[in-house]
Amino acid sequence: MFEGFKASTVQVEAASVFVRYGGEGPPVLLLHGHPRTSATWHRVAPQLVDRGFTVVCPDLRGYGRSRGPAPTADHTAHSKRAVANDLVAVMRSLGHDRFALAGHDRGGAVALRLALDHPDLVSRAALLDCLPISEHLSRITAQFATQWWHWFFFAQPDIPERVINADPDRWYRGDPDVMGQENHDEWREATRNPEVVRAMLEDYRAGLTVDRSDEEADRAAGVRIRCPALVLWSLRDDLEDLYGDPLKIWRDWAPDLRGHGIDSGHHMAEQAPDELAAALGDFFTG
């Protein structure tokens, strides 16, 4: 995977961030979702390099080979704001003061926070198979609670750690033929690490508490994404089934918006990499 890319661990204020990077040209930051690592981009990142971009793929705080501080009672140690600040520091360490970014799933929530908190640093933002966390929570229905029950299970103290770590291979399921063997092996190693599992759960606990509060405060204050934004969603996942056209929700957050569905399941970087890379490359080119 990632032929021609470099890999390093960048020490930032409160975390160590594992990152892959390669290419020449305008910088693009790619953020994975749960429970993946940066390896999920292994079919997309080289195509963006071929399009003339420098591509940076980090493991989010606590995921994969990145490590953060111990969890805190208010979950701020794993908030999207804390993770976004990690990534600003990583990009600056690599010499990038302004960049485009794409975030998938939980990485989409980080991308949103980074674009809201650091508007002068983000040139374009792509948000993949996600909505703002506060928008999900303001629309809770029996269907949402049934299909997305894991959000609320992960928020329970201690119980999910015991359940998941008892047999992580049965809890986290992935197909190496779909994911790619090396991507699958890296992901499987991460999910077998109780420290990683704890951090991934803290991501969700922060989502239901501090992250929701941060988004609601921005919404009340009229803070919006100032750069052009692209929203892509998987046509074979349930986002459109739950909410209809995701663009109608995202327009309240991003005035300069475009987007469309992609014929894929949820993990579009693995299942529809060519279509995704083409959409991102066109958008980042402008």
Side-chain angles (χ1 to χ4, degrees):
M1 297 186 299
F2 294 94
E3 184 177 355
F5 278 63
K6 297 178 181 179
S8 65
T9 299
V10 178
Q11 188 67 45
V12 299
E13 182 176 352
S16 59
V17 180
F18 175 78
V19 60
R20 296 172 159 105
Y21 55 98
E24 299 281 345
V28 171
L29 176 65
L30 302 181
L31 308 179
H32 65 83
H34 175 92
R36 295 301 200 254
T37 73
S38 56
T40 195
W41 300 106
H42 71 104
R43 293 172 178 146
V44 172
Q47 295 191 54
L48 293 177
V49 167
D50 290 342
R51 292 282 298 261
F53 295 100
T54 296
V55 181
V56 180
C57 304
D59 290 350
L60 301 182
R61 177 182 287 204
Y63 284 77
R65 282 176 268 184
S66 293
R67 295 293 175 267
T72 54
D74 62 1
H75 310 299
T76 54
H78 292 81
S79 68
K80 306 306 169 288
R81 176 160 283 147
V83 179
N85 289 339
D86 288 348
L87 300 175
V88 169
V90 168
M91 293 301 280
R92 285 176 172 159
S93 77
L94 297 175
H96 307 307
D97 292 323
R98 184 169 167 82
F99 49 89
L101 80 161
H104 174 258
D105 184 76
R106 306 301 289 187
V110 176
L112 170 62
R113 177 48 49 201
L114 205 161
L116 295 176
D117 283 359
H118 305 279
D120 294 336
L121 306 185
V122 179
S123 59
R124 289 180 172 252
L127 304 145
L128 315 179
D129 232 13
C130 63
L131 293 178
I133 292 170
S134 58
E135 297 286 359
H136 282 296
L137 297 177
S138 69
R139 290 170 168 79
I140 289 177
T141 62
Q143 182 185 8
F144 175 85
T146 300
Q147 293 177 212
W148 293 43
W149 61 273
H150 62 284
W151 276 32
F152 310 103
F153 174 66
F154 289 169
Q156 304 304 310
D158 301 323
I159 295 172
E161 281 92 337
R162 296 203 305 271
V163 172
I164 294 170
N165 290 324
D167 194 347
D169 289 6
R170 292 194 67 182
W171 182 269
Y172 294 114
R173 298 179 183 179
D175 184 343
D177 292 334
V178 175
M179 297 176 65
Q181 188 66 55
E182 290 178 86
N183 175 29
H184 178 273
D185 291 348
E186 180 175 311
W187 162 81
R188 177 58 71 201
E189 181 180 1
T191 60
R192 288 173 175 171
N193 184 335
E195 187 177 355
V196 171
V197 171
R198 179 69 183 276
M200 292 194 296
L201 295 172
E202 283 295 312
D203 174 5
Y204 281 82
R205 290 163 181 154
L208 296 186
T209 54
V210 60
D211 295 333
R212 179 184 188 177
S213 296
D214 288 342
E215 288 183 6
E216 290 174 342
D218 282 334
R219 182 69 178 270
V223 179
R224 300 291 184 269
I225 296 174
R226 290 177 9 198
C227 64
L230 172 71
V231 171
L232 302 174
W233 61 94
S234 302
L235 294 175
R236 287 185 268 128
D237 202 15
D238 59 1
L239 196 66
E240 200 170 31
D241 292 338
L242 284 168
Y243 304 113
D245 182 0
L247 294 177
K248 291 183 179 179
I249 298 172
W250 274 110
R251 282 193 183 99
D252 287 338
W253 294 85
D256 186 355
L257 183 68
R258 73 277 294 143
H260 58 84
I262 285 185
D263 184 17
S264 174
H266 180 58
H267 294 286
M268 58 175 68
E270 298 165 1
Q271 298 171 21
D274 296 343
E275 186 176 354
L276 177 58
L280 292 177
D282 291 345
F283 173 63
F284 292 146
T285 299

